[in-house]
Amino acid sequence: MFGFPMFDHIPRSFKTQYRCYSVSMLPGQERQDVERGGKIIMPQSALDTLTRLNIVYPMMFKLTNQSTNRMTHCGVLEFVADEGKVYLPHWMMSNMLLEEGDIVHIESANLQVATYSKFQAQSVDFLDITNQKAVLENALRNFACLTTGDVVAINYNDKVYEMLVMETKPANAVSIIECDMNVEFAAPVGYVEPERGLPKPTPVDVAVEIQDDASFKPFSGSGYRLDGKKKKKPQPSEDQCPQVMKRGIPNYDYQKGTLVFIRNSKRNNTNKDEEKIDPFTAFSGKAEALRLKKTRKK
C-alpha cells in the first residue's frame, strides 16, 4: 500500500575481487598518469554497480591481498578496464606483493580527511631537491588517499623517489582530497648527521718573533711631481731597515665582559743630574708700589 522507496538513498558497501595487472599491461598508449599517482583503473561494470549502491563520493577503495595479508587504499581514475581486470600502479603492486594476474579484493571505504602526515625518503638523493615540500605537494595531487606503511613513488625531473608514509592523522588511512594537511619529513634512510666539532685551539708560543718581510719597504714607490720634474731618489736610511717585532704576552687572567686599563705609575728618571726644583711657596714675591714716596728736604 505504501510502496514509496524509503531506503534507496542509504549507501551500501561494494565488495568484489578482480585479477590485478600493472599499468604497463593496459591496452593502448602508455599511461604515465596512472603510474604517477595513487588511483586505479576499473571495469565499466564496477561503475554500474557503484551507481546502484549510492556510494559516497569521492570514491575510495580498500585493496587487500589475502594471501599475504597486505592492504592499502586508493581512488579510481577511470572505468575503462576489461571485465574481470583491474590495473594498478607498479608501486602499489610492490607494496601488496602482487604479481601479474593475482587476485585482489576490493571494497568501498569512507575515509576521514587528513590533518597530518609524516614521510621518510628511502634515499639521500631526495635532499638534492631544493624545495621538498613543494615537490611532494605537487605529486600528491594525483593521490586520493594515504595509508600508513605504504611506500609511494614520486616522479621528479625524470627520477623516481620512494617515500615511506610513516604516520597519518587522524587515522591510519586518510583522504587527502581538498584538505589542509601538515607535512613533516624524517631523516632519509642512510643519512648521517655531519659532525660539528669545535676547532681545536692551536698552542701559542709567546717567544716566537714576527719578522717583517724584508722585501717590503713602505713608501718606496716612484712618485710624480706636479711641475713635471723627476723625483729624486731618496737615500736609504736606517729607519727603512727591517726591524724585528716581538709579539706581546696576552693577558691570561682576562675575564669576558670586562675592560682592563693598564697604567704605568713608575716614572723613568733618565737624567739623574737634573736639578731639583724648589717647592712652590704662595705670595713669596716682592711687592712694589705704583707711586714713589716723596722725600722731605732737610
Side-chain angles (χ1 to χ4, degrees):
M1 184 175 179
F2 301 98
F4 56 89
M6 297 178 61
F7 305 101
D8 289 350
H9 297 285
I10 298 177
R12 289 174 288 176
S13 61
F14 170 81
K15 291 184 179 181
T16 186
Q17 62 182 16
Y18 295 103
R19 291 195 176 274
C20 64
Y21 296 91
S22 60
V23 181
S24 59
M25 303 294 292
L26 182 65
Q29 297 180 355
E30 187 178 2
R31 299 292 302 271
Q32 290 293 336
D33 54 339
V34 184
E35 288 288 355
R36 295 177 180 176
K39 300 179 181 180
I40 63 176
I41 296 179
M42 301 177 68
Q44 180 67 33
S45 60
L47 178 60
D48 299 336
T49 306
L50 290 168
T51 305
R52 291 193 302 268
L53 295 176
N54 297 323
I55 295 297
V56 178
Y57 290 87
M59 296 182 184
M60 297 184 188
F61 303 94
K62 177 182 177 181
L63 279 63
T64 307
N65 183 5
Q66 294 184 354
S67 61
T68 58
N69 199 20
R70 293 290 189 95
M71 53 83 64
T72 188
H73 295 79
C74 66
V76 58
L77 184 63
E78 294 177 359
F79 294 91
V80 296
D82 298 334
E83 292 299 327
K85 297 180 180 180
V86 64
Y87 295 93
L88 281 65
H90 178 71
W91 66 265
M92 192 177 297
M93 295 187 64
S94 299
N95 288 338
M96 301 180 64
L97 303 178
L98 289 170
E99 299 292 340
E100 302 289 344
D102 287 349
I103 299 296
V104 59
H105 294 262
I106 301 178
E107 59 180 306
S108 58
N110 187 13
L111 303 179
Q112 301 182 41
V113 179
T115 58
Y116 170 83
S117 62
K118 186 175 182 179
F119 295 86
Q120 182 187 34
Q122 300 300 293
S123 175
V124 293
D125 296 339
F126 188 70
L127 299 177
D128 297 336
I129 301 176
T130 304
N131 194 343
Q132 292 95 355
K133 282 192 175 182
V135 173
L136 181 63
E137 180 181 357
N138 186 41
L140 291 181
R141 294 177 181 177
N142 299 322
F143 289 75
C145 51
L146 293 174
T147 306
T148 302
D150 280 357
V151 179
V152 299
I154 294 175
N155 294 336
Y156 179 72
N157 284 347
D158 298 331
K159 191 173 183 179
V160 179
Y161 299 93
E162 293 183 344
M163 306 292 295
L164 171 64
V165 183
M166 301 184 64
E167 184 180 359
T168 56
K169 293 181 181 180
N172 291 334
V174 292
S175 171
I176 59 173
I177 298 177
E178 296 181 358
C179 69
D180 186 9
M181 180 177 62
N182 296 325
V183 178
E184 288 186 2
F185 292 97
V189 176
Y191 175 75
V192 179
E193 187 73 20
E195 297 181 359
R196 298 180 179 179
L198 297 176
K200 297 182 179 179
T202 57
V204 179
D205 188 2
V206 295
V208 176
E209 296 181 349
I210 302 176
Q211 296 184 357
D212 294 337
D213 189 1
S215 61
F216 173 74
K217 295 180 180 180
F219 307 105
S220 60
S222 59
Y224 295 92
R225 298 178 49 163
L226 297 177
D227 54 4
K229 295 181 180 180
K230 293 183 179 181
K231 180 183 177 182
K232 296 181 180 179
K233 294 182 180 180
Q235 297 180 356
S237 59
E238 297 180 355
D239 297 337
Q240 296 181 355
C241 297
Q243 299 179 357
V244 177
M245 301 178 61
K246 295 185 178 181
R247 179 179 297 175
I249 301 176
N251 183 9
Y252 294 102
D253 298 331
Y254 171 75
Q255 297 180 359
K256 187 177 180 180
T258 60
L259 295 177
V260 180
F261 298 93
I262 301 175
R263 303 180 184 275
N264 188 6
S265 60
K266 297 181 180 180
R267 295 183 180 180
N268 297 326
N269 296 326
T270 55
N271 190 3
K272 297 182 180 180
D273 298 336
E274 184 179 358
E275 296 180 358
K276 296 183 179 181
I277 302 176
D278 295 336
F280 171 76
T281 304
F283 304 105
S284 59
K286 297 179 180 180
E288 294 182 1
L290 298 177
R291 188 174 58 179
L292 299 175
K293 294 181 180 182
K294 294 181 180 180
T295 57
R296 293 180 180 182
K297 297 181 179 180
K298 294 181 180 180

